[in-house]
Amino acid sequence: MKLSTYNFLTSKAIKGVKVGYPLKLTITKKDVVESEFNPAFIERLLPKLEWSTVHLAAQAVDLPDDIPAEQPVNIAGNAELLQKLHHLLMEIDIVEGQLECPETGRVFPITDGIPNMLLNEYEV
């Protein structure tokens, strides 16, 4: 699972959950898969992302100094930050781990890079 995907996952579908975001990410195995840097793609992706969750992802993969806690105003003009965002969002693959609902504590496993977000019938 790419960390760009992590930014979009929520447990709001669980009965009684009001927000369900951001999920707590615990990583037991990760890989780094290099990909071609496309700054324009990262710039287009940014408005769709919740910056605080991007920062949480950076902390989860031990890169807290690479991504500032507050979103800078002019990211497009900062090639170094765009490169760091590309690395974080597009090159780090979570292979094994789990996601946890912040409201219920419900755990969703990540196996072979795929988060299992399926709910039981009684949870819907």
Side-chain angles (χ1 to χ4, degrees), residues 14-94:
I14 297 175
K15 187 185 306 182
V17 171
K18 301 245 187 276
V19 179
Y21 183 84
L23 299 171
K24 179 183 175 194
L25 175 63
T26 305
I27 302 167
T28 54
K29 183 179 178 186
K30 66 181 178 182
D31 283 336
V32 176
V33 180
E34 290 187 27
S35 65
E36 185 177 342
F37 176 50
N38 182 342
F41 176 77
I42 299 299
E43 288 177 44
R44 286 192 311 272
L45 184 61
L46 285 173
K48 297 169 178 58
L49 301 175
E50 178 67 37
W51 188 265
S52 61
T53 306
V54 172
H55 185 67
L56 282 174
Q59 291 174 329
V61 295
D62 297 323
L63 297 174
D65 298 333
D66 285 0
I67 307 299
E70 298 294 322
Q71 184 172 358
V73 177
N74 186 15
I75 295 177
N78 188 336
E80 181 182 351
L81 181 55
L82 287 174
Q83 180 69 48
K84 289 177 180 180
L85 284 166
H86 166 79
H87 174 69
L88 176 69
L89 299 171
M90 307 309 295
E91 294 184 331
I92 297 177
D93 273 336
I94 308 307

